[in-house]
Amino acid sequence: MKSKAIIHLLVFHLILVVIWEIITRTGWVSPVLLPSPIDVAIYLFDSITSGEMLKAAWVTLKRLLFGYVIGIAVGLPLGLLCARLKCVQNTLGVLALGLQTLPSVCWVPLAILWFGQSEAALLFVVVMGTTWSILIAADNGVKNIPPLYLRAAYTMGSKNTHTWIYVIMPAAFPAIVSGMKQGWAFAWRSLMAAEIYVTIMSGFGLGQLLHYGRELQAMDQVLGVMAIVIAIGLLADMLLFSPAEKLLRSRWGLDKS
Amino acid sequence: MIPESEITTHAAKLQIRNVSKRFHSSNGITHALDNVSLDIREGEFVCLVGASGCGKSTLLNHIAGLEIPDEGSLQLDGVPFSGPDRTRMMLFQEHALFPWLNVIGNVLFALKLKPNLNDKERKEVARYYLHLVGLQDFANSNIHELSGGMRQRVALARALAPNPRILLMDEPFAALDTMTREQLYGDLQRIWQQRKITIVFVTHNLREAACLGDRIVLFRPRPGRIFREYPVNLPRPRDLNDPQIATVSGQITQDLKTIGKDSA
Ligand SMILES: Nc1ncnc2c1ncn2[C@@H]1O[C@H](COP(=O)(O)OP(=O)(O)OP(=O)(O)O)[C@@H](O)[C@H]1O
Ligand SMILES: [Mg+2]
């Protein structure tokens, strides 16, 4: 980002915070409904220094990563299989298309019934939120490879496994990256929803922290947790997906994202 | 050192015997090739011309092994073949370079599938061919950073690198501007004379055909058949603007018009 863009960004957000502070300071909105940014900052400072926030964030991140990795490990190979085999396409492919449209919070009641108030229930919801979109992205990515690439590869002596590893996978890479990004977003959303609904003993995550903030009418806590959730989302984008997208832009010359 | 066997080749003789190919599609059966026979000498430069849809690309795909004929056979030096092989390389109308590899990575793609070379030799061979097409300074460029003409040159280097005995070219320069194209005619004739490789070249441009070919084969459509052949006995290197070339292409234009009237 250019320094001018950074200045614009900072000024914009500073203005928003100042307006927010003015609204609460002048008493237009009661602090019970909307705490001032300073209160939120104080809460964040306290909860971070006491370790409460970091512990909750760590619990949530562990669940997220675990579910996400399982989602990829299941969705990616199934997606490739879908693209390859007509019979898988006509069965699993269609099912995936349907399940992908289902917001994964809808799984929560069943998850609780099947797994109780447990880590497994949360994991199940995250996996359901991730797998299908990655499966579909991988399937589409492979199907949309220009046939010309394959023909060129065949004439150069590539076949079977070699074609898969050195032609089909890299050719589908842009689509797979965007599928993984979408899968990450779905996993993140479904986990937050699940944590708010499922209170469990084995660990206290960000969603649960937010839930208790609401129970206690502590809106500074709710807003503080929201800020942390946003920060984790942005950080993941920067660490996980920006490098891949940068590679795509410089090598492929794509200007996506 | 580059192994000598990687940069010299024995041009191959190609025999196409009674090849027929039908395609079944939504609007019925297309007779893309009907009993086509053609003999191509080793080291010959043959141009295929004809109206759109008369089966030129289909024939090229058969030679490349990307299509299997319904009837008839294809032979390389008297040995029948089917399926693709590095002895017959194809240059497509669009460059077909892999965007996930850089320039030298693309040229290395086929070389990496050759078992008798080590990595150092592969790199040297790739550089040799990049030099041949004048792109030695762009080895590490990304494909999207190159101009259309440069991309076709990389594609040419990539097709030459596995040291094929036959080079198939399907309207490779159609998308380029006149200047770049004329430059590439020069390059191609130079490389062909150096290597004495057998070339089958498809084009819509009759002057291009007359400028490049030892022989021009005119096809007629529906069903795809050979209409007539024209030897071109002009000294090389040839210049596109030579009036003798215009004479040859003029004659073929006449015949193309007759075919058009016949089938109308
Ligand atoms: N895979 C295919 N499926 C169905 N029909 C095909 C297929 N490939 C080619 N054809 C048909 O076969 C005929 C010959 O096609 P071909 O591509 O060989 O023509 P061409 O001479 O190369 O034409 P052009 O000069 O336009 O490239 C056309 O009528 C085309 O529609
Ligand atoms: Mg064609």
Side-chain angles (χ1 to χ4, degrees):
Chain A
M1 232 190 309
K2 277 194 244 115
S3 58
K4 202 169 159 191
I6 292 175
I7 290 172
H8 284 173
L9 191 73
L10 287 179
V11 169
F12 174 74
H13 286 95
L14 198 69
I15 292 173
L16 283 187
V17 171
V18 168
I19 292 175
W20 177 7
E21 179 68 32
I22 291 171
I23 289 174
T24 52
R25 192 61 69 85
T26 53
W28 278 352
V29 181
S30 132
V32 180
L33 296 181
L34 184 67
S36 82
I38 291 173
D39 291 341
V40 174
I42 289 170
Y43 166 76
L44 276 177
F45 182 80
D46 288 345
S47 64
I48 288 173
T49 46
S50 75
E52 182 189 36
M53 182 65 84
L54 294 183
K55 229 167 89 191
W58 177 236
V59 166
T60 296
L61 267 181
K62 262 198 310 208
R63 288 171 182 157
L64 182 66
L65 281 175
F66 201 38
Y68 184 59
V69 168
I70 293 178
I72 290 175
V74 175
L76 201 57
L78 286 182
L80 298 179
L81 216 60
C82 236
R84 178 98 187 122
L85 299 175
K86 199 85 197 135
C87 59
V88 181
Q89 170 66 46
N90 291 335
T91 51
L92 187 68
V94 178
L95 178 73
L97 217 56
L99 290 180
Q100 191 221 5
T101 63
L102 183 75
S104 44
V105 212
C106 300
W107 287 105
V108 170
L110 270 185
I112 294 174
L113 188 69
W114 290 346
F115 302 104
Q117 308 270 77
S118 69
E119 288 291 330
L122 291 177
L123 197 65
F124 178 76
V125 175
V126 176
V127 170
M128 281 298 151
T130 320
T131 310
W132 311 117
S133 69
I134 289 183
L135 190 158
I136 285 164
D139 177 29
N140 281 335
V142 171
K143 280 215 202 90
N144 292 331
I145 295 173
L148 192 58
Y149 290 158
L150 294 175
R151 292 153 60 86
Y154 296 148
T155 60
M156 288 188 281
S158 169
K159 46 183 176 246
N160 306 333
T161 330
H162 184 275
T163 311
W164 268 94
I165 298 174
Y166 293 102
V167 184
I168 294 176
M169 292 293 284
F173 181 65
I176 290 176
V177 167
S178 74
M180 287 182 47
K181 195 171 167 177
Q182 198 191 22
W184 174 264
F186 282 168
W188 193 212
R189 281 160 180 68
S190 37
L191 179 60
M192 274 307 110
E195 280 191 346
I196 290 175
Y197 283 110
V198 185
T199 35
I200 60 176
M201 299 305 126
S202 53
F204 205 72
L206 288 173
Q208 281 120 2
L209 205 57
L210 193 137
H211 177 72
Y212 285 114
R214 193 197 63 167
E215 303 258 286
L216 301 170
Q217 298 289 328
M219 286 306 127
D220 53 347
Q221 180 171 340
V222 169
L223 281 164
V225 174
M226 282 166 67
I228 294 292
V229 169
I230 291 174
I232 290 176
L234 288 177
L235 210 66
D237 218 53
M238 258 164 59
L239 296 180
L240 291 177
F241 300 108
S242 284
E245 281 171 346
K246 214 165 133 195
L247 171 76
L248 284 180
R249 268 197 298 276
S250 72
R251 183 49 68 79
W252 265 255
L254 298 180
D255 235 280
K256 294 216 281 199
S257 88
Chain B
M1 265 305 290
I2 303 176
E4 189 64 18
S5 63
E6 294 307 313
I7 52 173
T8 51
T9 187
H10 305 286
K13 189 168 69 184
L14 185 69
Q15 292 145 298
I16 300 162
R17 289 276 183 276
N18 310 100
V19 165
S20 293
K21 181 74 178 182
R22 286 168 292 272
F23 288 111
H24 303 262
S25 61
S26 46
N27 37 17
I29 296 175
T30 311
H31 231 111
L33 294 173
D34 183 42
N35 203 10
V36 170
S37 294
L38 187 64
D39 273 310
I40 297 172
R41 293 190 309 275
E42 51 257 32
E44 195 179 12
F45 198 134
V46 175
C47 292
L48 311 182
V49 298
S52 187
C54 63
K56 306 179 297 291
S57 297
T58 306
L59 185 60
L60 223 55
N61 288 336
H62 277 82
I63 303 174
L66 293 169
E67 298 275 8
I68 306 293
D70 294 336
E71 286 145 38
S73 70
L74 296 108
Q75 298 174 358
L76 198 80
D77 288 336
V79 183
F81 62 82
S82 66
D85 190 290
R86 277 188 297 269
T87 54
R88 292 164 272 123
M89 289 296 294
M90 174 98 125
L91 202 64
F92 299 87
Q93 175 164 359
E94 282 141 61
H95 56 72
L97 295 170
F98 299 145
W100 57 91
L101 298 172
N102 61 11
V103 167
I104 194 151
N106 268 281
V107 180
L108 279 168
F109 186 91
L111 291 172
K112 284 193 176 145
L113 283 154
K114 283 193 125 181
N116 56 332
L117 293 174
N118 63 39
D119 278 348
K120 194 158 162 281
E121 288 170 332
R122 289 192 178 106
K123 278 237 169 68
E124 278 173 26
V125 173
R127 284 188 198 289
Y128 171 86
Y129 284 101
L130 280 180
H131 192 85
L132 199 67
V133 297
L135 287 180
Q136 60 278 18
D137 296 335
F138 293 87
N140 296 315
S141 299
N142 293 314
I143 302 305
H144 72 96
E145 295 162 347
L146 305 179
S147 70
M150 289 158 92
R151 286 177 204 180
Q152 272 311 358
R153 272 175 214 220
V154 178
L156 181 58
R158 183 173 78 165
L160 288 171
N163 206 21
R165 303 178 64 199
I166 295 191
L167 183 61
L168 307 165
M169 306 175 84
D170 195 352
E171 304 184 44
F173 307 144
L176 304 177
D177 65 274
T178 330
M179 283 275 286
T180 318
R181 222 183 307 158
E182 285 188 28
Q183 213 176 342
L184 282 166
Y185 295 155
D187 291 344
L188 185 60
Q189 290 190 68
R190 174 175 56 82
I191 290 167
W192 172 70
Q193 282 188 316
Q194 257 176 34
R195 302 287 307 272
K196 270 297 166 195
I197 187 174
T198 307
I199 296 184
V200 188
F201 189 102
V202 171
T203 176
H204 274 284
N205 185 330
L206 297 175
R207 290 170 67 97
E208 180 173 281
C211 172
L212 294 172
D214 291 326
R215 179 162 49 130
I216 300 172
V217 180
L218 176 60
F219 279 71
R220 52 156 305 158
R222 283 176 293 277
R225 285 188 184 144
I226 293 177
F227 181 75
R228 220 176 133 180
E229 301 186 15
Y230 313 80
V232 188
N233 297 312
L234 297 174
R236 291 182 190 268
R238 299 175 188 158
D239 176 32
L240 192 68
N241 301 311
D242 188 333
Q244 283 174 293
I245 286 184
T247 317
V248 176
S249 66
Q251 192 198 347
I252 304 173
T253 313
Q254 280 303 320
D255 287 345
L256 255 176
K257 281 186 187 147
T258 355
I259 297 174
K261 278 197 205 107
D262 281 1
S263 50

